Amino acid sequence: WDFLILFFCLPVVIFNEITKRRLLGDVSCRIVPFMEVSSLGVTTFSLCALGIDRFHAATSPQASTRPIEQCQSIIAKLAVIWVGSMTLSVPEILLWQLAQDTSSVSGVVTEYCTMKPSSNLPESVYSLVLTYQNARMWWYFGCYFCLPILFTISCQLVTRRIRGTEKSECRGTKHGQCESHLNCTIIALTIIYGLCTTPENVCNIVVAYMSPEMSKQTLDLLNLINQFFLFFKCSVTPVLLLCLCRPLGQAFMDCCCCCCEGCGPDTTSSEDSADSKLKTEMSSSIFFDKPRETPTPLLALGTPC
């Protein structure tokens, strides 16, 4: 979803700031806020899911031999996160619309997006959209800011409490180090998310109480700053994951090297790829708590006598 934000929303915003024209017109005015709010929801619920996963890893009776989660289960969780985030962002499509303004000095017509529900909506839908608009500031602050931060902090505190009281003897093992590494990754993601969403929440609160006293240029500037903080978060999060998650970063680098160099019949490259694959499998097995497979005992040949 971060890549979707960067590939679709960022060019639209930059084009609008340069030309004062809205790329794709009214469609972009509705889709861009929808995708941006969905991005906040995806990050929020993903951090909550990661916190729950770390809590289960800490409270599992056999954490060191916990098997890898099935692919179907992971896809189901991702589908719930994405569909839930997109469903909660549907009011953004009905809330925004394209507007035009003519400059009194140059006479140039500029296009911009305004938060104003269309009067052509059914009365029941129109009232719901108005209710969402009035509660939008506190909904942002409560669901997309307080929820992931407080949830992550609570899960980390409970996890450390459990590990400190019950599994203190496993701290020096490789499994304990990997668990600590995973917890640091989640904390880093939460810090980046909190730092990038704080300006938007502060601006929303300030604009809500001081909007009549602020000019349109100031409001547009604050909105632009908030959007670029979101773009910064979407740019940093994948890089942070690749750097902190060593198996994921190694697999990504192997794929890039394979695409750049091509697949040749060279034995040296095949041996190197086999070695890198073995290292990746070993590190991923440690990272994802995969139990080592014990070799099957060889059957004795001959009869018992």
Side-chain angles (χ1 to χ4, degrees), residues 11-28:
V12 171
V13 173
I14 294 178
F15 182 84
N16 185 29
E17 290 300 318
I18 295 176
T19 63
K20 301 302 178 183
R21 294 284 181 177
R22 195 70 184 182
L23 190 64
L24 301 179
D26 187 67
V27 175
S28 65

Side-chain angles (χ1 to χ4, degrees), residues 93-105:
I93 300 178
L94 307 176
L95 183 61
W96 295 85
Q97 61 179 338
L98 183 66
Q100 294 181 348
D101 187 19
T102 304
S103 176
S104 58
V105 179

Side-chain angles (χ1 to χ4, degrees), residues 23 32 61 76 83 85 91 98 116 119 121 126-127 143 153 173 203 225 241 244:
L23 190 64
V32 170
V83 173
S85 303
L98 183 66
K116 182 181 179 182
S119 58
L121 295 174
Y126 183 79
S127 61
C143 182
I153 293 175
T173 62
C203 290
I225 293 174
L241 277 175
L244 294 181

